[in-house]
């Protein structure tokens, strides 16, 4: 029988940085128990008759479906809201929406990631007024339900003592839209707290938000880990245990798609292929939050090859989503 600790009930989950390492470990331990129960067809109806509202300002495959399927498996109901079809599209405030939804249900989860310096502000405003927990399904700053699943996946591969492992968080090329910076930002904030030496690699124009880089630096200092920023993917991959290369947009060019795509063309060679994977340690893992741009960010040989753990990561989105809902609601 799974024991769901109660000390996290009612908390918001907006950045992993807001939570202690112990509380983050509670999420992962609970997710492991729920994963075991899922594999063995054991019932997990910890949220019978409860409702979570999932508000999406952007598209999603994994996040939406992990939370919808997860809530059904917990015995409750996830209510999907495409905000373009709600009164939010006519300007209804975060305050009013948060108060009303929290009177109708037991939790609110939000994806609002497309415009730098808007999404997290919206979530924190809603969390202030809503008297139910608010979960960040990806903001402009962090993607904590992704990175907690990533950390669980890393534990599954390397055990929980990650001291001294080298992880390369790298920009990669794509010709699609300018993707948010929240995944690399979330990774550098979280992984520096869990014993890993983090190398962040990107072309000069693809800097992350300076205040987030500063948090990662301070985390590394406090934890005795290393944090380095370079502009060379090969250097970052050298002897890495973990590589996590993905595309993101240049912050100054959000909202300017033509300029953004033109800039990215300069860096087509930032693709992960077998040659680059040879630079890493033999046991290294290739990670990606997905969706991946095959043939642009990564070759099929790598993403479908022996180093890749992308489908384990995606699967762990379900188990960590369930853990978060069960613990917070
Ligand atoms: N990784 C991730 O958040 O995927 P979706 O955009 O499909 O939700």
């Amino acid at each position: 029988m799974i024991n769901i600790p109660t000390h996290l009930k009612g908390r918001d989950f907006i950045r992993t940085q807001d939570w202690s390492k112990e509380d983050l470990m509670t999420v992962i331990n609970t997710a492991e128990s729920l994963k075991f129960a899922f594999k063995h067809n054991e019932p997990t109806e910890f949220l019978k008759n409860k409702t979570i509202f999932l508000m999406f300002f952007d598209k999603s495959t994994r996040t939406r479906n992990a939370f919808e399927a997860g809530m059904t498996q917990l015995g409750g109901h996830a209510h999907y809201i495409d905000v373009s079809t709600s009164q939010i599209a006519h300007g209804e405030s975060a305050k009013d929406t948060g108060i009303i939804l929290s009177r109708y249900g037991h939790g609110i989860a939000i994806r609002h990631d497309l415009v730098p310096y808007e999404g997290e502000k919206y979530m924190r405003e809603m969390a202030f007024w809503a008297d139910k927990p608010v979960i960040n399904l990806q903001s402009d700053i962090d993607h904590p339900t992704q990175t907690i699943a990533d950390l669980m996946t890393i534990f599954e591969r390397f055990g929980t003592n990650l001291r001294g492992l080298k992880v390369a968080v790298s920009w990669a090329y794509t010709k699609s839209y300018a993707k948010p910076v929240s995944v690399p930002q979330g990774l550098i904030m979280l992984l520096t707290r869990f014993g890993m030496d983090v190398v962040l690699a990107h072309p000069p124009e693809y800097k992350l938000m300076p205040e987030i880089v500063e948090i990662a630096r301070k985390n590394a200092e406090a934890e005795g880990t290393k944090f380095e920023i370079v502009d060379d993917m090969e250097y970052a991959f050298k002897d890495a245990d973990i590589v996590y290369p993905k595309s993101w947009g240049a912050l100054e060019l959000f909202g300017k798609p033509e300029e953004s795509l033109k800039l990215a063309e300069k860096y087509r060679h930032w693709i992960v292929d077998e040659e680059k994977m040879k630079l890493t340690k033999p046991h290294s893992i290739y990670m990606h939050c997905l969706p991946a741009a095959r043939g642009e960010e990564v070759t099929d040989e790598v993403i479908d090859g022996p180093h890749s753990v992308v489908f384990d990561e995606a699967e762990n989105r379900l188990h960590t989503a369930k853990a978060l809902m069960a613990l917070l609601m």
Side-chain angles (χ1 to χ4, degrees), residues 154-204:
I154 292 171
F155 285 154
E156 287 173 346
R157 293 291 165 147
F158 292 99
T160 50
N161 181 3
L162 306 176
R163 180 83 28 202
L165 289 189
K166 175 180 172 182
V167 52
V169 176
S170 176
W171 186 87
Y173 165 76
T174 181
K175 60 176 177 237
S176 79
Y177 73 108
K179 295 183 175 147
V181 296
S182 43
V183 170
Q185 293 197 158
L187 289 169
I188 62 169
M189 284 191 283
L190 181 64
L191 302 185
T192 46
R193 295 173 75 195
F194 279 87
M196 283 166 271
D197 296 331
V198 178
V199 181
L200 172 67
H202 58 71

Side-chain angles (χ1 to χ4, degrees), residues 56 58-65 111 113 137-138 143 145-146 177 183 244 246 288-291 314 317:
F56 279 84
D58 191 9
K59 298 171 179 57
S60 170
T61 296
R62 279 143 291 270
T63 309
R64 173 181 174 176
N65 291 295
R111 169 166 287 190
D113 60 344
L137 299 181
Q138 188 168 16
H143 192 355
T145 67
Q146 174 67 52
Y177 73 108
V183 170
Y244 200 130
K246 78 169 300 296
H288 195 297
C289 55
L290 304 180
R317 297 297 309 279

Side-chain angles (χ1 to χ4, degrees), residues 118-136:
E118 281 190 10
E120 185 182 286
K121 198 160 155 257
Y122 183 93
M123 290 175 198
R124 292 208 186 272
E125 173 78 1
M126 187 164 288
F128 181 81
W129 291 104
D131 61 3
K132 299 290 166 23
V134 169
I135 300 175
N136 172 3

Side-chain angles (χ1 to χ4, degrees), residues 106-282:
H106 308 88
I108 300 170
I110 310 168
R111 169 166 287 190
H112 192 329
D113 60 344
L114 285 175
V115 185
Y117 297 105
E118 281 190 10
E120 185 182 286
K121 198 160 155 257
Y122 183 93
M123 290 175 198
R124 292 208 186 272
E125 173 78 1
M126 187 164 288
F128 181 81
W129 291 104
D131 61 3
K132 299 290 166 23
V134 169
I135 300 175
N136 172 3
L137 299 181
Q138 188 168 16
S139 71
D140 52 320
I141 306 289
D142 195 0
H143 192 355
T145 67
Q146 174 67 52
T147 58
I148 197 79
D150 295 335
L151 186 58
M152 178 176 173
T153 311
I154 292 171
F155 285 154
E156 287 173 346
R157 293 291 165 147
F158 292 99
T160 50
N161 181 3
L162 306 176
R163 180 83 28 202
L165 289 189
K166 175 180 172 182
V167 52
V169 176
S170 176
W171 186 87
Y173 165 76
T174 181
K175 60 176 177 237
S176 79
Y177 73 108
K179 295 183 175 147
V181 296
S182 43
V183 170
Q185 293 197 158
L187 289 169
I188 62 169
M189 284 191 283
L190 181 64
L191 302 185
T192 46
R193 295 173 75 195
F194 279 87
M196 283 166 271
D197 296 331
V198 178
V199 181
L200 172 67
H202 58 71
E205 299 90 339
Y206 290 89
K207 291 188 177 65
L208 300 180
M209 294 172 179
E211 62 277 22
I212 301 301
V213 169
E214 190 51 28
I215 290 171
R217 264 192 227 292
K218 286 193 173 141
N219 286 346
E221 212 174 283
E223 294 292 337
T225 55
K226 293 184 194 142
F227 176 61
E228 187 183 3
I229 304 177
V230 300
D231 61 4
D232 182 338
M233 199 183 213
E234 277 90 353
Y235 174 87
F237 273 40
K238 184 100 180 60
D239 296 327
D241 299 280
I242 302 161
V243 293
Y244 200 130
K246 78 169 300 296
S247 82
W248 65 81
L251 280 171
E252 311 82 73
L253 297 181
F254 272 87
K256 298 179 187 165
E258 278 174 24
E259 282 177 64
S260 181
L261 297 183
K262 196 169 158 211
L263 172 64
E265 285 307 310
K266 275 171 64 180
Y267 300 109
R268 268 181 175 269
H269 55 289
W270 285 61
I271 179 173
V272 185
D273 56 18
E274 286 180 313
E275 282 310 300
K276 289 201 185 76
M277 287 306 296
K278 280 185 194 150
L279 298 168
T280 68
K281 294 218 178 106

Side-chain angles (χ1 to χ4, degrees), residues 81-94:
I81 304 171
D82 169 351
V83 298
S84 69
T85 66
S86 79
Q87 294 296 3
I88 296 163
H90 287 152
E92 187 160 26
S93 68

